[in-house]
Amino acid sequence: METTFMDIEKNVAAVRARIADAAAEAGRNPSDILLVAASKMNGAERVRRAVSAGVDACGENRVQEFLEKNAQGAYTGCPVHLIGHLQKNKVKQAVGAFDLIESVDSEALLRLIGGRAETLGIVQDVLIELNIADEDSKSGLAPALLPQILEAAAELPSIRVRGLMAIPPISTKVGKNRPYFAQMQELFIDIRSKKYDNISMDFLSMGMSGDFEDAVREGANMVRVGSAIFGARHYGL
Ligand SMILES: *Cc1c(COP(=O)(O)O)cnc(C)c1O
């Protein structure tokens, strides 16, 4: 059955409660954890429901879908993040349009974003997306290349790296992704201690509907939750 508008509000509250429990378990303050509604494939009216239920941001996967829904007022009053892979030919539209581009996965893409931001006279906030489980099928930078991309970012004044993002494998078993989340937290803490220019390790974005509690237990302060808020997505309609 279709998830109704009322369900969306209830679901946001339920997800918040689960985040709070996981945070309490880990001795953390739940208000430090930002809830990003992964709103792909949900129409403007449904997205507005999630916004009015108090999510901290919306996350969209495709630039085109974002532009259409934005024109319909889907996100009014709410920051929007790009969480899907950014194609190089969409950089021009994306820079300045999103409050945070979470999915920077190569130095070439970083440089394109920096160039566009410079042209616009703005500073674009980004996260570096890591392929933490080394999956062939996934976008994301190999963790070994992280020092190199951070050094490149330090030379780009129109870019501000705000943290790291990861999409580990779809978790089939509770607890399965915890080691990946733990590795991400280690990298996050390590980089933070190094103090590169233009890099402030503020956000560690990890955890989706199937595993956000484990991500919170391992230090995530930004979780991206789609189906637990909006219901299952209907592909191929
Ligand atoms: C769709 C999506 C999510 C949310 O997925 P759910 O399993 O529905 O919570 C999170 N992050 C990214 C990058 C996504 O594309």
Side-chain angles (χ1 to χ4, degrees):
M1 224 174 62
E2 189 73 7
T3 309
T4 65
F5 292 156
M6 249 167 64
D7 292 333
I8 290 172
E9 284 168 11
K10 273 205 310 235
N11 291 346
V12 168
V15 167
R16 286 276 191 206
R18 288 169 60 191
I19 290 172
D21 285 348
E25 230 179 85
R28 303 181 54 202
N29 186 345
S31 64
D32 291 340
I33 297 156
L34 299 179
L35 173 57
V36 180
S39 45
K40 59 177 173 273
M41 302 179 69
N42 285 279
E45 189 59 35
R46 293 165 62 78
V47 176
R48 268 197 293 273
R49 283 300 164 128
V51 168
S52 72
V55 299
D56 297 296
C58 292
E60 286 291 348
N61 287 66
R62 292 173 55 245
V63 176
Q64 191 57 40
E65 181 177 339
F66 159 74
L67 292 172
E68 284 164 20
K69 284 150 67 174
N70 192 40
Q72 295 162 12
Y75 318 101
T76 305
C78 188
V80 189
H81 300 179
L82 180 65
I83 62 175
H85 178 67
L86 177 57
Q87 293 170 289
K88 297 196 169 87
N89 63 4
K90 296 280 165 47
V91 164
K92 206 171 162 179
Q93 289 170 296
V95 172
F98 291 98
D99 297 278
L100 182 67
I101 298 176
E102 295 201 22
S103 46
V104 175
D105 59 0
S106 73
E107 192 176 323
L109 181 61
L110 182 85
R111 289 185 183 284
L112 283 176
I113 293 170
R116 177 65 181 161
E118 193 177 353
T119 303
L120 295 175
I122 63 168
V123 175
Q124 177 68 58
D125 282 351
V126 305
L127 304 183
I128 305 298
E129 178 184 349
L130 294 179
N131 186 352
I132 194 68
D134 194 22
E135 295 171 278
D136 287 341
S137 61
K138 284 269 170 69
S139 53
L141 187 80
L145 297 177
L146 197 50
Q148 196 178 318
I149 201 170
L150 294 175
E151 277 158 32
E155 305 286 314
L156 297 170
S158 300
I159 292 269
R160 190 162 51 154
V161 176
R162 303 293 305 273
L164 302 178
M165 183 267 229
I167 312 174
I170 298 291
S171 53
T172 46
K173 270 211 313 255
V174 175
K176 200 170 127 276
N177 279 338
R178 230 174 134 159
Y180 295 125
F181 295 143
Q183 282 175 45
M184 286 293 296
Q185 189 184 25
E186 256 177 58
L187 288 167
F188 182 75
I189 291 169
D190 181 53
I191 297 161
R192 192 154 55 181
S193 72
K194 287 188 175 143
K195 309 219 184 309
Y196 293 84
D197 286 341
N198 306 333
I199 313 243
S200 52
M201 282 287 128
D202 301 315
F203 302 124
L204 180 56
S205 173
M206 55 187 194
M208 312 190 348
S209 292
D211 54 20
F212 65 84
E213 287 145 305
D214 274 345
V216 167
R217 290 180 187 113
E218 297 292 351
N221 60 11
M222 188 177 276
V223 296
R224 308 176 311 270
V225 178
S227 47
I229 291 175
F230 296 106
R233 288 178 291 274
H234 302 286
Y235 290 96
L237 287 184

